[in-house]
Amino acid sequence: MNKLKVRLIALALMFTGAAQADEGMWLLQMMEEQNSIELMQKAGLELNANDLYNPGGVALKDAVGIFGGGCTGEIISGQGLILTNHHCGYESIQQHSSVEHDYLTDGFWAETMEDELPCPGLEFRFIDKIVDVTGIVNDRIQSGQITESESLDYVFLDNLRKELYENSEYKGKPGIVTELLPFYAGNKYYMFYIKVYEDIRMVAAPPSSIGKFGGETDNWMWPRHTCDFSVFRIYANADGEPCEYSEDNVPLKTDKHLTISLGGYEEGDYAMIMGFPGSTSRYLTRSEVEMMMSSENEPRIAIRDARLNVLRDVMAASDKVRIQYASKFASSSNYWKNAIGMNKAIIDNKVLEQKDQQEKDFARFANEQGNDAYKTVVNEIDSHIKEATEMTYLWTCGIETFMAVEFRTPSQLLDELIRAKEAGDEDQFEGAKAKLDVVYDQIHNKDYDHGVDKQVAKAVLPLYAKLAGSSKPDFYDIVENEYKGDYDKFIDDLYARSIFSNRDNLAKFLKKPSEKALNKDLGYRFSKSMSNNLINISAFMAKMEETLAVPHKTYIRGLCEMKQAYENLPSAPDANFTIRLTYGNVKSYDPMDAVHYGYYTTLDGVMEKEDPENPEFVVPDKLKELYAAKDFGQYAMPDGRMPVAFITTNDITGGNSGSPILDSKGRLIGCAFDGNWESLSGDIHFDNDLQRCIGVDIRYVLFIIDKLGGCQRLIDEMTIEN
Ligand code: ARG
């Protein structure tokens, strides 16, 4: 592209204003550098940079945090009330459920603060401060203290993180954790000071027939009718500082909470989302995309498919098992379906062809720049990927099997016990024994059913052998040599006769522990073989990551420079579970020839989808009554209908679940919970025409809390505008 053309494009951009399309999980701390605020204001934002992110002050950013291990949540009252998705709260709801108190089925509404349920292990994290430390890393490279390759290594970054923390004002403060992370594959580095609250209580959750309406069938799909929300609350000590659960803790008085708008939205309205997208891979080469399809998605689909088929049947047959496995099923199924959709969308949306074009453009750019590193980097990556493909495939097979089959034997701990016995070290022996006791209960936990797990193993272990071929772990020799290839018999024995199969076997072993008994134990041999195999593969994978680190850094720098030069546009770094902002519009789309999808759904659609025969599409009586009476209160649309879900062009991915969808004034209009089927290639390539974020309308959420849950007390805490 010649200079004139570049200038023309730049000119066109100035006139069209929002030509910066909707792609981009932008860094708040780079807003100024990347001129994002101007672009956002052109797109309709009615706020200033400081309203979004204000180091040293309070801004919208301070009302958003990390919920649990992988979701986003936002603060919706001055008393630490958190809104997130139902599927994000699902594990907690499941943990509190039993056949007697089935909150999964019936929902949960705490009538008073005293009824709010503690959730041990659940955390909420606020980002307190973000510091650019790129200069420090680069100085150390330039001064020769480290090589570029070492600078990309976890060990170096972790030591630097500790060093910076030690010298910061945060040292010794309660509840502070830190992270130092590379962005753009190491072309930038930021240090995060994070405040972690660990007394989080469950406040409200709709029945699954509302919060998970449409189930797996509708997952990753639009049009959608799911009220995917749940409500929690942060508790702190009297000073508002994080501390572990205590009856004396009080609701956290939050610095910032979101104002809620009942005003709704129309097609084309500005919408933005702040949250924590987990991972994207927008800078891959074609070879890497192909590897992802064949070595990650394909074996993942196959192994999860086998496990889910077993779980579906046993869960349908028993309420106890249904509750035990609900959360495990949902999380496995979620990325099983995602992997299927992603591989399909990569083909349908011609992502490989787009990658070819990108590599052609890049070759030209490299020549124009006369940059030798750029000229060779794609080839370099390709040749390593060739080497990595087989191992990546085996890694996925191994890890998916390892996650599917929960029964294991702590072989290292058993080794430790035998060593202690042989050395006559009584203390160590007793210590190991006590640890075995704890680990036994961790494996046979309240959500584990030995019989169900055995059935899963029968489905998954033969499949793993088939997929891995001659590279399978060596416990398969036992099946071949000692069981003549009879998997059923082998697995029956593994689950019945191993030391860790049941308490009796463990007790028997502990009476006369010996190396001989260990070496005969099927569970011990199986677990040791599985983990040795994974350790070997992961060593290779770590080495490969190291080899690819510098080429990736080079390629991503080059791609960003190319976008700046050819399109006059900044690039956003790949998602890495740090706080991001995406802006765009409420927008309908056309998924295929002759089909148009509107931008919102209503309660009418819930009734249309109702199917009393299908557990995924049951509508609870109370909702039907409210619908019949049109008892929608202040939450209805001007035409009297009840809005349910809507779509925007925002750029989100897993991790964003639960994120606030904000209007041009920064008011809460919805809660993001999914992406659409047609654009599941979006983590690799953002498609402006197709990619949509699916959110639940805040008016539907409040209607359910108020009219169905009867939790007026929560509505009263919120700041609501019309
Ligand atoms: N696909 C959604 C996400 O990853 C999760 C939806 C959960 N619902 C379900 N039916 N599994 O954010």
Side-chain angles (χ1 to χ4, degrees), residues 87 152 268 279 292 453 531 544 561-562 669 701:
H87 77 263
L152 293 161
S279 147
M292 198 168 181
D453 202 62
S531 48
M544 184 53 71
E561 286 171 5
M562 178 169 86
I669 53 171
V701 171

Side-chain angles (χ1 to χ4, degrees), residues 227-241:
C227 197
D228 198 341
F229 86 93
S230 57
V231 181
F232 289 77
R233 191 191 301 279
I234 307 172
Y235 282 76
N237 68 16
D239 304 326
E241 290 300 336

Side-chain angles (χ1 to χ4, degrees), residues 411-447:
S411 53
Q412 276 182 357
L413 200 50
L414 286 165
D415 286 339
E416 192 184 312
L417 181 102
I418 297 297
R419 257 182 277 126
K421 187 188 162 220
E422 279 167 5
D425 186 333
E426 193 66 24
D427 281 354
Q428 207 185 350
F429 182 78
E430 287 305 322
K433 232 167 115 173
K435 273 192 255 171
L436 280 175
D437 214 55
V438 174
V439 174
Y440 182 91
D441 287 334
Q442 282 169 351
I443 294 166
H444 295 263
N445 62 57
K446 87 175 193 18
D447 292 327

Side-chain angles (χ1 to χ4, degrees), residues 87 212 215-216 219-220 224 228 330 333-335 654 657 673-674:
H87 77 263
K212 204 174 187 282
E216 304 312 318
N219 192 16
W220 301 111
R224 195 61 161 277
D228 198 341
S333 155
N334 195 27
Y335 276 85
S657 282
F673 70 90
D674 212 352

Side-chain angles (χ1 to χ4, degrees), residues 71 85 87-88 211-221 224 226 228 329-331 333-335 338 616 652-658 672-675:
C71 279
N85 288 151
H87 77 263
C88 295
K212 204 174 187 282
F213 182 77
E216 304 312 318
T217 306
D218 274 6
N219 192 16
W220 301 111
M221 300 276 192
R224 195 61 161 277
T226 315
D228 198 341
F329 184 94
S331 65
S333 155
N334 195 27
Y335 276 85
N338 178 284
E616 295 187 324
I652 67 158
T653 189
N656 270 116
S657 282
F673 70 90
D674 212 352

Side-chain angles (χ1 to χ4, degrees), residues 372-636:
D372 290 333
Y374 289 176
K375 284 183 202 169
T376 53
V377 71
V378 173
N379 275 338
E380 195 185 335
I381 293 174
D382 286 350
S383 69
H384 294 307
I385 290 305
K386 222 172 167 177
E387 257 178 86
T389 298
E390 167 79 2
M391 281 303 219
T392 306
Y393 173 81
L394 291 174
W395 172 254
T396 311
C397 293
I399 206 77
E400 287 291 340
T401 304
F402 192 70
M403 290 190 312
V405 178
E406 292 176 69
F407 179 54
R408 42 186 118 284
T409 300
S411 53
Q412 276 182 357
L413 200 50
L414 286 165
D415 286 339
E416 192 184 312
L417 181 102
I418 297 297
R419 257 182 277 126
K421 187 188 162 220
E422 279 167 5
D425 186 333
E426 193 66 24
D427 281 354
Q428 207 185 350
F429 182 78
E430 287 305 322
K433 232 167 115 173
K435 273 192 255 171
L436 280 175
D437 214 55
V438 174
V439 174
Y440 182 91
D441 287 334
Q442 282 169 351
I443 294 166
H444 295 263
N445 62 57
K446 87 175 193 18
D447 292 327
Y448 174 79
D449 183 300
H450 201 55
V452 168
D453 202 62
K454 181 168 84 175
Q455 268 176 272
V456 170
K458 285 186 176 180
V460 163
L461 292 182
L463 176 64
Y464 179 23
K466 200 168 109 196
L467 295 174
S470 58
S471 307
K472 53 187 180 290
D474 55 12
F475 78 82
Y476 281 104
D477 295 345
I478 310 175
V479 189
E480 281 313 311
N481 303 336
E482 296 168 37
Y483 286 85
K484 301 203 182 70
D486 186 341
Y487 278 99
D488 276 355
K489 180 107 200 15
F490 165 70
I491 293 167
D492 284 339
D493 282 354
L494 173 68
Y495 278 74
R497 295 170 58 175
S498 300
I499 295 168
F500 260 67
S501 293
N502 51 56
R503 277 274 172 202
D504 283 352
N505 288 8
L506 179 59
K508 230 182 273 163
F509 168 77
L510 286 178
K511 259 195 207 146
K512 261 175 56 186
S514 71
E515 199 171 348
K516 197 165 149 224
L518 271 195
N519 288 332
K520 265 184 26 202
D521 188 69
L522 282 181
Y524 176 85
R525 292 160 79 192
F526 167 71
S527 291
K528 200 163 184 147
S529 164
M530 272 302 263
S531 48
N532 281 347
N533 182 257
L534 284 173
I535 290 167
N536 288 340
I537 305 175
S538 75
F540 174 91
M541 301 281 285
K543 193 103 202 78
M544 184 53 71
E545 209 170 290
E546 204 183 305
T547 312
L548 280 165
V550 174
H552 276 152
K553 181 176 172 182
T554 307
Y555 187 42
I556 291 180
R557 182 172 57 243
L559 286 175
C560 294
E561 286 171 5
M562 178 169 86
K563 191 159 171 202
Q564 196 66 57
Y566 287 175
E567 298 172 67
N568 195 22
L569 288 177
S571 306
D574 268 328
N576 57 357
F577 209 45
T578 55
I579 191 160
R580 304 296 177 99
L581 178 79
T582 151
Y583 64 96
N585 309 90
V586 175
K587 201 172 173 188
S588 55
Y589 73 108
D590 300 330
M592 58 192 129
D593 192 27
V595 178
H596 177 74
Y597 278 164
Y599 64 92
Y600 69 97
T601 58
T602 70
L603 203 48
D604 299 348
V606 174
M607 302 306 154
E608 281 171 15
K609 281 183 178 172
E610 187 198 3
D611 178 0
E613 303 299 310
N614 181 346
E616 295 187 324
F617 291 94
V618 167
V619 179
D621 289 341
K622 186 142 185 211
L623 184 57
K624 283 197 265 189
E625 283 158 26
L626 292 166
Y627 176 70
K630 296 214 177 324
D631 187 4
F632 303 148
Q634 57 177 334
Y635 311 112

